[in-house]
Amino acid sequence: MLAAACQMFLGKTEAEIAHIALETLEGHQRAIMAHMTVEEIYKDRQKFSEQVFKVASSDLVNMGISVVSYTLKDIHDDQDYLHSLGKARTAQVQKDARIGEAEAKRDAGIREAKAKQEKVSAQYLSEIEMAKAQRDYELKKAAYDIEVNTRRAQADLAYQLQVAKTKQQIEEQRVQVQVVERAQQVAVQEQEIARREKELEARVRKPAEAERYKLERLAAAEKSQLIMQAEAEAESVRMRGEAEAFAIGARARAEAEQMAKKAEAFQLYQEAAQLDMLLEKLPQVAEEISGPLTSANKITLVSSGSGAMGAAKVTGEVLDILSRLPESVERLTGVSISQVNHKPLRTA
């Protein structure tokens, strides 16, 4: 086509090319119109367009031009022949339309009546079928309900059983997890114990053993020192005990000799010796009687209004107590100091 187009239109303008294509189409259009009647062209435009496109496109292709489409926009003539044909055609169409409308209305009425009859029959049949369907539905529904309830009960039981199994599995897994966790905790605790033992070994036990060894050596040295001191003290005690025993023996012998002499004196002087003994102890008795008065912070005396007052009263009370001593000694020992003073001494 490109070679044919170059051969046919080389050196021509676009307007000249368009004019050649238009004349070619008009020529083929006239040729087709020559073989068709006016009525055919007016009534069957599609056929006319297809024939023109078929003949013209093949001829234009040989010229290097491709025809995409061919369409008739309008058909008219100078004598209004085609317009008259249109009026007749319009009248015929209107007539046919009125007839068709009447026939359509008639047929519609017939069909409507028949449709109503069929509708009533169909309605009755439908109600009967609906009643049958309702009955079948109820029966089948009851059967289905029984089956559904049975299956539902089975499903519920199966679900409960499955839930119980699942819970049991979960509990078993939880227990296993707890066992594993406990084992891990035990392992961790064992590791911690081992670590602490090593730390104790490094920080406490070895220094403690060294300290213990040091203390043992110190204790052994101190023990030896104490033993030596004890032995020395024992020897000193023994010697001191021997000295004290000798002294006690000497003192005992002296006291025995003194007591023997006192006994001899008692044998010789009898009541005079007893009186001497009592008189020797009277100062001690007076000291013991006045002892509480020396340690008292405050003394309160109650007087009837007659006699001495103040310190003289205290002195008088002490002297009164001392004046009663001979009576007390006589009641305790049976020796009367006043009688002993008037008796002559007996000599051996």
Side-chain angles (χ1 to χ4, degrees):
M1 290 178 66
L2 181 59
C6 292
Q7 185 178 359
M8 292 293 297
F9 305 113
L10 188 61
K12 293 181 173 59
T13 62
E14 293 184 1
E16 291 175 345
I17 296 172
H19 182 69
I20 293 171
L22 181 59
E23 288 182 347
T24 302
L25 284 173
E26 288 178 349
H28 288 292
Q29 184 174 284
R30 283 192 295 270
I32 297 300
M33 290 174 64
H35 294 86
M36 295 179 68
T37 63
V38 178
E39 288 80 4
E40 290 176 348
I41 295 172
Y42 185 77
K43 293 180 180 179
D44 198 354
R45 297 184 183 186
Q46 182 67 27
K47 179 180 178 183
F48 177 72
S49 298
E50 290 176 356
Q51 289 182 3
V52 173
F53 178 77
K54 182 177 179 183
V55 176
S57 62
S58 61
D59 193 10
L60 290 172
V61 167
N62 294 329
M63 295 171 64
I65 297 175
S66 176
V67 181
V68 178
S69 65
Y70 173 80
T71 305
L72 291 175
K73 295 191 293 181
D74 189 19
I75 300 176
H76 63 275
D77 65 309
D78 296 338
Q79 303 298 323
D80 288 336
Y81 179 73
L82 294 175
H83 183 66
S84 299
L85 287 177
K87 289 182 178 180
R89 179 62 183 168
T90 301
Q92 183 64 39
V93 169
Q94 291 177 354
K95 176 184 176 182
D96 294 339
R98 288 193 297 270
I99 294 171
E101 183 180 0
E103 291 178 352
K105 287 182 180 180
R106 181 199 60 192
D107 295 340
I110 295 171
R111 286 194 296 272
E112 183 179 0
K114 186 176 181 181
K116 287 182 179 180
Q117 183 180 2
E118 291 177 353
K119 177 183 178 181
V120 173
S121 300
Q123 184 177 359
Y124 291 154
L125 292 174
S126 176
E127 290 178 357
I128 293 171
E129 293 297 328
M130 286 177 63
K132 291 181 179 179
Q134 184 69 24
R135 181 198 62 188
D136 296 339
Y137 168 76
E138 295 294 338
L139 292 175
K140 290 182 179 180
K141 184 177 180 300
Y144 290 157
D145 289 340
I146 295 173
E147 185 176 359
V148 168
N149 292 330
T150 302
R151 296 288 179 88
R152 184 177 298 167
Q154 294 176 354
D156 291 339
L157 292 176
Y159 172 76
Q160 294 177 0
L161 181 60
Q162 185 63 35
V163 168
K165 291 182 179 179
T166 305
K167 288 183 178 179
Q168 183 178 1
Q169 294 175 357
I170 293 173
E171 185 65 21
E172 292 177 355
Q173 292 177 359
R174 187 180 66 80
V175 172
Q176 292 178 359
V177 169
Q178 290 180 351
V179 171
V180 173
E181 290 179 352
R182 184 58 181 168
Q184 293 177 352
Q185 292 177 358
V186 170
V188 171
Q189 291 177 357
E190 290 178 351
Q191 294 176 359
E192 182 66 18
I193 291 171
R195 185 187 67 80
R196 290 186 178 181
E197 287 181 351
K198 291 181 180 179
E199 183 177 0
L200 180 64
E201 181 74 21
R203 293 185 179 181
V204 179
R205 190 171 295 169
K206 289 184 178 180
E209 289 180 355
E211 185 67 21
R212 181 175 60 83
Y213 177 76
K214 177 181 178 181
L215 293 175
E216 287 178 353
R217 302 302 300 173
L218 292 174
E222 186 175 359
K223 179 180 179 181
S224 299
Q225 184 178 0
L226 291 175
I227 290 172
M228 294 174 67
Q229 291 178 356
E231 290 177 351
E233 289 179 358
E235 182 66 20
S236 175
V237 169
R238 184 181 65 78
M239 294 176 67
R240 189 166 54 249
E242 291 178 354
E244 289 179 355
F246 179 78
I248 290 170
R251 188 167 53 251
R253 286 192 296 273
E255 290 178 356
E257 186 177 353
Q258 184 180 3
M259 291 298 292
K261 289 180 178 182
K262 284 183 178 182
E264 291 177 358
F266 285 159
Q267 288 289 336
L268 180 62
Y269 298 106
Q270 295 181 355
E271 293 180 355
Q274 293 177 4
L275 178 60
D276 182 65
M277 235 176 174
L278 290 174
L279 293 176
E280 184 181 357
K281 296 297 183 181
L282 282 177
Q284 295 182 5
V285 174
E287 184 180 358
E288 292 296 328
I289 292 172
S290 61
L293 295 176
T294 61
S295 61
N297 294 325
K298 182 179 180 181
I299 299 174
T300 302
L301 297 175
V302 178
S303 177
S304 61
S306 60
M309 297 293 291
K313 179 68 173 178
V314 176
T315 304
E317 293 290 339
V318 173
L319 293 175
D320 183 60
I321 294 172
L322 291 175
S323 64
R324 296 178 182 180
L325 280 176
E327 297 178 2
S328 299
V329 171
E330 185 179 358
R331 284 198 299 269
L332 292 174
T333 61
V335 177
S336 175
I337 296 175
S338 58
Q339 292 178 1
V340 171
N341 289 332
H342 298 285
K343 288 181 179 182
L345 295 176
R346 290 177 299 175
T347 59

